[in-house]
Amino acid sequence: MTSVLEEAKALEGDIIADRRWLHEHPEIGFDLPQTTAYVAERLREIGLEPEEIVPGGLVATIGDPSAGRCFMLRADMDALPIKEETGLPFASPTDYMHACGHDTHTAMLLGAARILKGREAELPGCVKLMFQPDEEGCAPDEICGNEAMINAGVLENPHVDAATAIHLMPFDYRLGEIATRPGTGFSSIDDIDIVVHGKGGHGSRPHQLVDPFNIACHIFFGAQNLIARELDPNDQAVITFGAINGGTAANIVPDDVHLLGTLRTIDEGTRAHLKERMEAMCRGIAEGFGGSVDVRFLRGVPSVYNDPDLTDELIGYVEDLTGRPVTILDKPISGSDDMSVISQAVPTTYFVMGTGSEDEGVRYPVHNSRVVFDESVFVEGAAMTATMALRWLEARARDDKENER
């Protein structure tokens, strides 16, 4: 019988073709009509019956849920509102781009689905495939795609016993490098939405105003001091602002200034403390300068938690498949992923796979308009995904037989 890696290699052309089509047709948020239609058709072609349980969110199962446990594989499908500048022949023609590699995740899971469907008769249980929308949080909704699909029942009927996912990473990881860590794997995220209210007027008369820019600048630097002076040096957190907006002319001070930032932490206690202190600091600074402020934390998700036992088990399967050691990260990744919501509900492991490091000549990381993903890792990514599901189910079936003796 052919190996999973050989089966994946035979599908390489299909995986690359799927990825390139998806890359050329990016969509964002929950609004993924072309993407879901394409993926659903691919799944139907191999005999599956995908169901769209939320807008842009597909679920399909392989195997018999009554024959054993259920292992879930997840891929995200949404893109980012970025104008692509790669020059690739299959580059996006729109103002959206798959700059975080979700097109590659989806294509690899489609490849894994073909492998698993071909081995369906030997599955001692079932594999659930989850293709989710809005991992990037671009939709104007209060929750991201992962939580929306949980609310719609993705973890039930059949009940999911464990889950995994892979994220491709250029720039920071060497080509083909696979990495994870037990415990916290990715940071939490809370978007910080701040509106500073002052009193506008003519720029030549600052004494008659309550300058919201002055307040905003003090809030900006105050946030950095929260990290510097209130964070345990052994802890890890980031507060970064990506947008500060206000005003229309050089000599007109507006009434309001808007700041939009992000808070990332790896500890839930630190997360709660910094949110509380950020709000108090903003209010104190604004009032100290005669203004006021509105602070909201938007669409927060917790940190990704890699179940230690599951992670150790899956690392073994991956190393058997590839013949290479998995890199154990010494600290969590500062980025975030809404797979965190599932990781708080069922045992989960999240892996990253490198597509080339800076030392290897890769110039751009994810979320950059020029980022390019090396397609040579797709075969191993699909094989790795299918292998983890197969071997996890086989191990549970062996355990159940031994317990029956």
Side-chain angles (χ1 to χ4, degrees), residues 143-166:
I143 59 174
C144 294
N146 203 277
E147 187 172 355
M149 292 192 75
I150 289 177
N151 293 343
V154 73
L155 296 180
E156 303 301 332
N157 301 314
H159 173 74
V160 171
D161 297 292
T164 192
I166 303 175

Side-chain angles (χ1 to χ4, degrees), residues 64-307:
D64 182 1
S66 67
R69 293 176 175 82
C70 178
F71 191 84
M72 189 167 77
L73 304 172
R74 171 268 203 168
D76 34 19
M77 302 194 295
D78 58 315
L80 285 158
I82 295 175
K83 180 69 175 176
E84 183 165 354
E85 298 180 281
T86 61
L88 292 169
F90 51 91
S92 166
T94 73
D95 290 332
Y96 301 152
M97 177 189 175
H98 274 292
C100 200
H102 295 184
D103 54 333
T104 69
H105 305 161
T106 299
M108 290 189 299
L109 185 52
L110 286 172
R114 290 177 179 272
I115 295 168
L116 292 165
K117 182 62 177 176
R119 292 169 173 256
E120 188 170 30
E122 65 188 76
L123 286 178
C126 80
V127 179
K128 184 175 287 190
L129 310 175
M130 173 184 177
F131 296 88
Q132 78 157 79
D134 199 42
E135 190 282 322
E136 299 291 358
C138 291
D141 296 69
E142 285 302 315
I143 59 174
C144 294
N146 203 277
E147 187 172 355
M149 292 192 75
I150 289 177
N151 293 343
V154 73
L155 296 180
E156 303 301 332
N157 301 314
H159 173 74
V160 171
D161 297 292
T164 192
I166 303 175
H167 199 304
L168 294 193
M169 286 285 194
F171 195 78
D172 295 315
Y173 299 87
R174 298 187 66 79
L175 183 65
E177 180 181 9
I178 300 167
T180 189
R181 71 187 305 272
T184 302
F186 283 70
S187 301
S188 66
I189 179 174
D190 293 278
D191 288 345
I192 312 168
D193 186 278
I194 302 169
V195 180
V196 176
H197 304 291
K199 177 184 176 183
H202 201 289
S204 67
R205 301 171 183 174
H207 60 290
Q208 296 178 347
L209 316 177
V210 175
D211 188 344
F213 285 113
N214 181 45
I215 297 172
C217 288
H218 279 81
I219 287 173
F220 178 92
F221 287 110
Q224 310 317 310
N225 280 312
L226 284 181
I227 299 296
R229 306 318 315 160
E230 297 196 17
L231 183 69
D232 185 322
N234 296 312
D235 203 348
Q236 179 180 320
V238 170
I239 299 176
T240 299
F241 288 96
I244 302 178
N245 300 303
T248 57
N251 63 344
I252 303 172
V253 176
D255 288 327
D256 302 324
V257 169
H258 183 206
L259 300 89
L260 190 62
T262 184
L263 166 65
R264 312 288 178 113
T265 69
I266 62 170
D267 177 83
E268 287 299 304
T270 301
R271 181 186 181 199
H273 172 75
L274 288 177
K275 288 170 71 174
E276 179 183 347
R277 292 292 295 126
M278 187 72 188
E279 188 168 1
M281 182 203 69
C282 290
R283 187 168 56 251
I285 289 173
E287 292 175 356
F289 286 103
S292 62
V293 66
D294 297 322
V295 180
R296 295 190 302 155
F297 293 94
L298 310 176
R299 302 179 54 145
V301 298
S303 54
V304 172
Y305 182 74
N306 290 327
D307 180 85

Side-chain angles (χ1 to χ4, degrees), residues 67 69 396-405:
R69 293 176 175 82
R396 303 285 93 66
R398 285 196 301 271
D399 290 345
D400 289 344
K401 285 183 180 179
E402 290 178 1
N403 291 335
E404 290 173 359
R405 291 175 183 172

